[in-house]
Amino acid sequence: MKKILLITIFMVSLVTSAQIKLTGVVKDSIGAPLEMANVIALDTVAKKISSFGFTDAKGNFKLDLDENKVYNVKISYIGFKEISEFIKTGTTNISKNYTMYEDNMLDGINIVSKMPVTVKGDTIIYNADSFKNGTERKLEDVLKKLPGVEINDAGQIEVEGKAVEKITVDGKEFFSGDTKLASKNIPSNAVDKIQVLRNFADVNQLRGVQDNQDRVAINIKLKEGKKNFWFGDVYAGAGSSPNEGLYLFQPKLFYYTPKYTLNIIGDINNIGEAVLDRRDVRGLRGGFRSQSPSNGTNISLASAGIGFLTATARNANRIETKLTALNFSYSPNKKLDLSGYLIWSGNSNGQRNRNIVDYNDPSIPDDITDNTTDQTSNSGLLNFKAIYKKNVDNQLNYDLNGRFTNEFRNDVGFSQVIGSNTPITENENATPFTITQNLSYFYTASEKSIFALEMQHAMQDEDPFYMASIENADTDPNNNVDGFDDVADVLGLNKSQQFYRLDQNRRVKSNQLDAKLDYYYILNDKSNLNFVGGTILSQQNFDSRFFQVLDNGNTLDPNLNIPNVANAQNTNDTEYNFTDLYAGMRYRVKTGIFTFRPGFTVHSYNANNTQYGTNYFKDTFVRVLPELNIIAQFKKSENMTFDYRQSVNFTDVNQIAEGIVANSFNSFFFGNNDIMNARAHSANLNYRSFNLFNNTFVFARLSYNKTMEQISSIANFVPGSVVSTRTNLNLPFDIESFNAFGTVTKTFGKIRTSIGGSYSDAEFYQLFDLSSGNINTTKINTKNYSVSPSIRTNYIKAPNVSLRYRASFNDQDRVERGSGNMFNFKTVTHSPSIDFDAYLWKSLTVRADYTYNEVRQDGVFQNAFDILNFSMSYRKDRDAKWEYEFEASNILGTESRISVNNGNISNSINETFILPRLITFRLRYQL
């Protein structure tokens, strides 16, 4: 150990002793400092960039140089003549100041473009090759190494804490609506430049009158050799696991020309490496972005989707995926751009979960469950987009997006309370479809007047069918022997049957139009007015029937006997109509470092629902919703934003339909037609600093939300059972939550360090309907906080290591308002991990990653599991066509993972079985 320490100290001292610093200040001809000027030092012998940097707000720069060498120092800034000077270093630090003079010829652009990072206004340009060491295969591998860019746990790309909403390739749409398709499939060797577009705006005409500080997009510039030729790779493999043989085939082909592009992605595998999982498929909505929340109204389309779980290698024991995806773009002339995609995706997986459930109410028996799930989802997606720019003053956009799905799910479960030895089977299937359209027109009438018309239409149809079968241990209707007999009395079932077979069909149709017209009047170069008027028209229909299938095949419409639910129905026939007519004004003004945008909207709301042919409820009212946005731009690379707004939240038809809905065999729901809208206040404070001068990046967010008359459920458990019947109401209590998040990233040479933390404090209520008809209210306060430091290297010619650690804490306090009884639950999770990758002998790539996870509840150890993955691949050199790979995942053969969940009804310890050890041999052919 002492020898290792001495060697480490020696190496560090050797590196530090061989470095000197070149510092100075860059100003213009009148002495004003130039912020974000590019400063590079070229090694005159190696003919490459040895060091680069940027000036800060005071014009300061610093470069790390080697001793006793000659460098060509170049300083560039858009609109100024380039400075070029030769400097010979010695053994001491050097300080030099520079003055730049204006030049409209924009000299130095070619030199600047070769820098690892350049900044031009709101665009950050990364030279991809400057961050590669040879282990990269996909765009995602490069993005992880860029300063200021992160890939979060969901696979989304984040810049300065903001999710990237669009990726284009050479300015062309790439599967609009999902960034993971680009990051996980575009070959890294095809990427020349990565342009991060901050303050991104879809329409150039609105760039000067809108604040887009929270919007980020990325454009990928391809290498010249990848244009007008097919490029990509074909990936194939086979292997084995303890349960079955393994296979993998993924062709990914791309063709780009200035006029048209074609992208083809295929996938078939049972290794769990899905190109698109079900969550990604459901999130693909093309260019459809609802305008309603920005104007103060929140209303979502009703959803009747089945309880389909998204499968990953960490929560499923079987995953099979199939995918065919085609993306195109075509520009017949400079005015018209056409693009779109066709996708077929098939996902089939198996999951098994064992739960120890501890109900918070002592009258509810605790339970142990074991559930096995098999589910399949087949989806077809289409998207077509057209952008027509007649001239700089006229732009017309049209977007069509459709999703058609066929889903199946089969559950076999065991419950200690409801017949521990008899399986409970549940089946669900659905064939939903969704079609959305977006039409917008932008017209600049004069230098001071801009019109923007945006119309969005969504049509949705869902038809889930649910079936549950539970064995009846004693068919004597007068005896309540098994755990479901008491429930059968409440549901009005025939208890003389051998099986309780419960069926339910549902149909939810939604139709919604969201249209608005904005008029921007530009007062001067510092301020403008925005007048807006619009409407939301929404219609939702919900029909259902709940019935029992008898042993002889006949059906029975049960007479429900639900406590505290008067006139409970086994069918639903509900129509919910909603209208919002609104108008508003916003004033945007810049003064000094601040941009203020106060505003308000006035809404005329009308909501009504009809059930079983009778108009049950109608509500008409007017609401004024104020808002305020403030931006403080301290420097080009540092700003703070504050946003406050009031909103009105409306429910959907599911919450108001009074008839019974079987969510599962142990959860039945009844809507409430008297449900009112909820009102909400939200305030957000964001701070961002992107400092390339000292390679420090800071992002912090604070948010506060308060909701009045929040919709909440009332749980009523059948005595002695884990089966509940629920309804809902508007809470008489205000709901409040506070959230804080922050991360600091600092780079020291080739070592990047980061520390992030989060804190949330939420207060809500759980209501129980007791058999006496009294409501027992429990106030629940949940605090979640975490800390996650990390350190990773980014060497070009040496192995790289990434170390991460995450500690998560959950602290829940429960107070029964009636009795005053107090309960507390605490959970701690520790998750350290390490990643290793190396490119050896210019031909061998080695990767390994290890993750450890430990869970403790109330200080008691619950479980620990670890995952180790390893891969090794060989190619003759970086330009070789063929690559041979060996990959082993879950080498330690971990069978399951444990998590502790603290909920408002119960606390549970969940064991989830995961994919076993998988070993595969693979080939990759590069076009």
Side-chain angles (χ1 to χ4, degrees), residues 6-63:
L6 290 173
I7 292 173
T8 303
I9 294 174
F10 172 75
M11 292 181 65
V12 172
S13 62
L14 182 64
V15 172
T16 55
S17 64
Q19 295 281 313
I20 69 163
K21 293 186 181 299
L22 170 63
T23 60
V25 178
V26 179
K27 297 182 179 180
D28 63 14
S29 58
I30 60 174
L34 294 176
E35 183 183 2
M36 301 304 292
N38 301 290
V39 185
I40 62 174
L42 295 170
D43 189 321
T44 57
V45 176
K47 304 296 183 183
K48 66 178 184 179
I49 296 176
S50 292
S51 184
F52 73 96
F54 299 84
T55 55
D56 64 8
K58 297 181 179 179
N60 296 306
F61 72 89
K62 61 181 178 180
L63 299 178

Side-chain angles (χ1 to χ4, degrees), residues 572-626:
N572 275 295
D573 178 10
T574 305
E575 179 179 316
Y576 176 53
N577 293 288
F578 170 83
T579 302
D580 175 20
L581 293 173
Y582 63 87
M585 184 185 76
R586 300 178 179 97
Y587 174 61
R588 182 172 179 263
V589 59
K590 292 183 178 181
T591 173
I593 66 170
F594 293 98
T595 300
F596 297 91
R597 195 193 65 191
F600 68 91
T601 51
V602 181
H603 296 255
S604 175
Y605 293 113
N606 183 291
N608 65 82
N609 72 82
T610 301
Q611 303 198 37
Y612 311 107
T614 302
N615 195 326
Y616 268 50
F617 176 82
K618 184 174 183 179
D619 188 21
T620 301
F621 62 97
V622 175
R623 186 84 68 195
V624 179
L625 303 177

Side-chain angles (χ1 to χ4, degrees), residues 16 79-80 171 199 286-287 297 363 611 619 739 763:
T16 55
F80 288 79
N199 299 320
T297 300
S363 65
Q611 303 198 37
D619 188 21
N739 297 275
E763 184 177 278

